[in-house]
Amino acid sequence: MKKTTYLTIIGALAMPLLCACSDSDDNNGLGELTPAEEVFGKSNDVFSAAEWYPGGQLGTTEKASYSAPAPAVENIAGMEADFNTGEDFFEHLYTFEQNPRKGLGPAWVRNSCIACHPAYGHGKRQTEYRANQIGNGYLLVIYHPDNNAYISEVTGMPQTQAMSPFKAPIDESQISIEWKNVTEMESGLAMKFPDGEAYSLIYPEVRIPQTAFNTNPKPVNYDVRLESTIGLYGTGLLDALNDEDIEAQWAAEAPYVELNPAMWDKEANTFKPSAYYSAPYNDLGTFRGSHGPLKRFTYAMTRGSLQDGAGANAIWNITNVTRSDRHWLYTTPAWAKAQSEDPEVISYIKEHGASESSILHPYWADGTNEGIANRVNEILSCSSIAKKETFDKYLFNGAPYNGEDEMNDKQYYQFMVWHRGLAVPAARNLNDADVKLGKQLFTEMGCAQCHRPSWTTGDDNMWVDASIKAYADKNGLAKDGDYTKLLPKFPKQTIWPYTDMVQHRLWMVNDIRTGWCRTTPLWGRGLSRQLTGADDRLHDCRARTVVEAIMWHGYSKKSDAYRATEKFYNLPKADRDAVVKFIESI
């Protein structure tokens, strides 16, 4: 689905010859241009020319869109067709049996990717948890508060949907989300600015009673948080950053703030081995020992290369779509046991699963209650590679799967071409006096210490996963051994994401699990209301505006961003508005 909404200040990024044209003989008859068009792409007294292109020349789009292909895609013959096919996997619903978007069963989180990412952007704030509500980008985070470990009874990305007759691991009708008002800031900042303008802050309190869990055993001693999806655009550019450059940023901040001890070795002043993806790099000059790329994706920085990132993982575990490197179900033994013990499940399979054409036939076994129960438990427990042989035996050798993965290697490759090739929308209004002032204040207050403005990508000799290598080898696409050329590449690009790629703590009430959260990139977020219909921010969409997001940074004096927030709090309204306008323009 190609978007046609263009930035109002741009005629075309790639046509600088238009910048000096008018209706006179000096302008070749191209017509008079507005002042905004005359300065687009040019430096001024505050912004460099490069800042109009936050994704660099290879990663910026002229469209006011989160879904446009980057020039790195458009510049390579044939790649845009794969990008468009990959986009189709993101945008459309998955079903039980219909190719090419087959998946879902036996349980799932969402029935499409775009359901979580409206217009490819940040999820929207919700007042109730309903999986099929478009824009509900929430993932339930259910964990033990004493050690922050996820509960084991349901999957790490908990599922609230299941195919009949199975009962979803969590009954979403029993989930409650209550939005509570902050009455006073723990830091002592008042709920109105010194000039009298008031602001408000809200936060979610989520409850899931034990009765909502269709598992055996049911979890005990647990707490619940919400984490919302973020925008997908530009993730390929973050993937192209050198590990060494990110490590240098962490090392530079280490003397001044506490860094996550799960990631950072304070004494050695370097990353711990757990901060790297375990699979090694490819052999194209990027091999740096036995480990793979540095983890950099998700709020918790749990994912390394984009090919092991949130999207590559989610196309499997959100929709439960099997593929060659995810050749098993995303389920848990506790759920499998509960379903195998449910008389209604057994009775339904006994009645409807006898036919070999039935999707339930693999569970039917010998048609006896005991046989069905054992088979249900066996199949639904196929949640690891250790269970692959059992999964093959009962699902891939029987109807209706016909021995094929639900997403083949070519389709996964096309999905990753799309995912890595999404462009960042160009900046806007950088010639505006208020936007210029906003940038200056943003820096002076110290916001740029965490929201680092710019980076330069490396050679982008990315880690390439086994599925894409298998597809390339089968089709002779990388005879020289260079698999990296199969995906969009962003070498040596100056980019402006406004993130330091470091985890910080804000110490908010009902905070994110563990309290550690990677600094969210700010690029392109100013288009959120226009493109998604909402401007919700922060990890659980608790901030409804930029001002609320900023003030949450100062909820506690322990926050890494308290001093910067305090300075914002004391600005005159015109200056606060300028900061907001700047953030919405980059």
Side-chain angles (χ1 to χ4, degrees), residues 413-424:
Y413 160 73
Q414 292 170 321
F415 178 79
M416 290 310 301
V417 168
W418 163 83
H419 193 2
R420 203 172 204 271
L422 285 169
V424 179

Side-chain angles (χ1 to χ4, degrees), residues 243 263 272-281 288-296 301-309 312-313 323 325-326 412 463-466:
D243 292 358
M263 295 281 290
K272 292 182 176 180
S274 58
Y276 293 91
Y277 183 56
S278 58
Y281 276 92
R288 293 191 278 279
S290 60
H291 63 74
L294 179 68
K295 294 176 182 177
R296 64 192 69 190
M301 295 185 74
T302 55
R303 293 283 163 181
S305 163
L306 196 62
Q307 294 164 72
D308 181 54
N313 195 51
R323 62 179 194 253
D325 65 333
R326 296 284 197 279
Y412 170 65
W463 176 81
V464 179
D465 65 39

Side-chain angles (χ1 to χ4, degrees), residues 206-326:
V206 189
R207 293 185 178 89
I208 305 178
Q210 195 179 58
T211 56
F213 292 91
N214 292 308
T215 61
N216 185 5
K218 295 180 183 292
V220 296
N221 183 32
Y222 59 90
D223 208 345
V224 187
R225 294 289 185 267
L226 297 174
E227 288 184 10
S228 186
T229 53
I230 64 172
L232 297 163
Y233 56 90
T235 44
L237 291 155
L238 299 181
D239 199 34
L241 296 177
N242 280 334
D243 292 358
E244 296 85 354
D245 292 339
I246 298 175
E247 183 173 22
Q249 180 67 29
W250 282 65
E253 294 188 27
Y256 307 104
V257 296
E258 182 183 357
L259 299 178
N260 187 352
M263 295 281 290
W264 189 255
D265 187 328
K266 186 175 181 179
E267 292 186 4
N269 203 37
T270 188
F271 281 113
K272 292 182 176 180
S274 58
Y276 293 91
Y277 183 56
S278 58
Y281 276 92
N282 55 45
D283 300 320
L284 297 172
T286 58
F287 187 86
R288 293 191 278 279
S290 60
H291 63 74
L294 179 68
K295 294 176 182 177
R296 64 192 69 190
F297 297 110
T298 75
Y299 296 113
M301 295 185 74
T302 55
R303 293 283 163 181
S305 163
L306 196 62
Q307 294 164 72
D308 181 54
N313 195 51
I315 196 65
W316 166 63
N317 61 19
I318 295 293
T319 54
N320 226 336
V321 173
T322 59
R323 62 179 194 253
S324 64
D325 65 333
R326 296 284 197 279

Side-chain angles (χ1 to χ4, degrees), residues 325-343:
D325 65 333
R326 296 284 197 279
H327 199 63
W328 62 94
L329 295 177
Y330 189 53
T331 54
T332 66
W335 182 61
K337 189 171 188 297
Q339 299 312 290
S340 71
E341 296 170 343
D342 189 322

